[in-house]
Amino acid sequence: MTLKTLDGALALLTYFTVRQPTWGVRELAKHSGVHHAVVHRVLATFAANGFLVQDAASGKYSLGLRLFELGQVVRKTFSPAEVVQPVLEKLAAQSGETVFLSWLDGHEGLCVGMVQSQHQLRFSIELGQRFALHAGAHAKAILAFQDDAFRARVLENARQRAQDQPALAAPDPAVIEPQLAEIREQGWAHTRGEAAASVAGLALPLWSRDQTEVVGSLAIAGPQQRLNEESVPRLLEALREASRRLEEVVGFGR
């Protein structure tokens, strides 16, 4: 298998997400633009090695236990659960809101840790959920500290998605860039109604161990009426305490 073939095969694997966990061969071929015969061979090969499983009734593929096994290795390497989870749980108790930890992965964010609020009215995000970096405090706390070319690529990707999906609003760089500059200056992000209607977010960037790159974020999210301007100073103090603890242990060194 050539490196180009391997690259294409791995690209197909990335289409399996929390929101789209199963794919049929022709369905994935149409979505990815890869010939269905190639998709069939790739998925069958992954299934033969335990990375995918095929449902006997529908013929569709989903992620296999081999990936779950490798995921546990990644989890223990990059975010030791015995340290990270108690930090998230303490922050959720202090804030009363949903708390989640995200990593930068390519030009998107990825939720890798989460504790739900105990309130009936709360913001929800799923572990393993990907998100665009141009909307929401959890996203902008990451995007604000990336270089000019990276930010431009993220906004262009969002603009292209908006063209393909008219229900999405295309981000305006003239509006977003001043917001990101303010986040860089103050060191934290607070947004209202961006990632979801009536939801506010407060987030801090997480830096690499050598303090040269922002590689993730720690965020609190909840209804706007609870996560308002008056609550920010108190929640920022709790966020900073939690982020210092996380930056000591998560495998963000680059």
Side-chain angles (χ1 to χ4, degrees):
M1 180 180 287
T2 66
L3 288 179
K4 184 176 180 180
T5 303
L6 177 60
D7 186 65
L10 292 173
L12 288 175
L13 199 59
T14 66
Y15 284 93
F16 291 84
T17 66
V18 170
R19 293 182 177 178
Q20 182 81 41
T22 62
W23 289 95
V25 171
R26 291 190 177 275
E27 181 186 17
L28 182 54
K30 181 178 179 180
H31 193 81
S32 64
V34 179
H35 193 277
H36 68 86
V38 175
V39 174
H40 172 73
R41 289 197 298 270
V42 169
L43 299 190
T45 300
F46 277 131
N49 288 276
F51 293 96
L52 295 175
V53 292
Q54 186 179 27
D55 183 81
S58 68
K60 291 189 174 184
Y61 290 86
S62 58
L63 297 182
L65 290 178
R66 179 61 176 147
L67 284 173
F68 177 81
E69 179 184 356
L70 293 176
Q72 298 310 300
V73 176
V74 174
R75 185 182 178 197
K76 290 182 179 180
T77 302
F78 284 88
S79 56
E82 66 273 12
V83 176
V84 172
Q85 196 63 22
V87 171
L88 299 182
E89 289 173 356
K90 180 179 178 180
L91 183 57
Q94 289 173 319
S95 65
E97 306 297 348
T98 297
V99 169
F100 53 101
L101 170 67
S102 301
W103 291 352
L104 176 63
D105 187 32
H107 287 84
E108 295 180 307
L110 178 67
C111 176
V112 297
M114 181 268 298
V115 176
Q116 291 278 17
S117 167
Q118 295 303 304
H119 290 290
Q120 186 173 6
L121 180 62
R122 64 193 182 192
F123 173 73
S124 293
I125 188 170
E126 296 185 64
L127 283 174
Q129 182 175 323
R130 290 182 174 273
F131 55 86
L133 293 176
H134 68 280
H138 58 307
K140 287 181 171 176
I142 299 174
L143 182 60
F145 296 89
Q146 307 306 315
D147 62 34
D148 294 349
F150 186 102
R151 298 198 309 275
R153 175 68 181 274
V154 166
L155 297 181
E156 175 60 20
N157 288 347
R159 187 190 66 80
Q160 292 178 357
R161 281 194 296 269
Q163 288 182 336
D164 297 335
Q165 304 175 55
L168 298 177
D172 183 353
V175 174
I176 291 181
E177 283 294 349
Q179 296 171 347
L180 299 179
E182 182 179 6
I183 292 169
R184 286 193 294 275
E185 182 177 354
Q186 64 190 15
W188 49 272
H190 182 219
T191 60
R192 298 169 64 85
E194 289 192 3
S198 302
V199 172
L202 182 66
L204 287 177
L206 288 174
W207 292 83
S208 59
R209 285 177 179 165
D210 60 8
Q211 296 292 301
T212 61
E213 298 178 87
V214 166
V215 290
S217 68
L218 179 63
I220 298 171
Q224 292 183 12
Q225 63 266 33
R226 294 202 303 260
L227 200 57
N228 52 31
E229 295 288 347
E230 290 73 24
S231 69
V232 168
R234 173 181 62 85
L235 295 177
L236 268 178
E237 183 178 352
L239 262 175
R240 285 171 175 144
E241 176 189 351
S243 67
R244 283 193 293 268
R245 185 72 182 104
L246 290 177
E247 286 180 339
E248 292 175 357
V249 298
V250 292
F252 282 150
R254 289 195 175 186

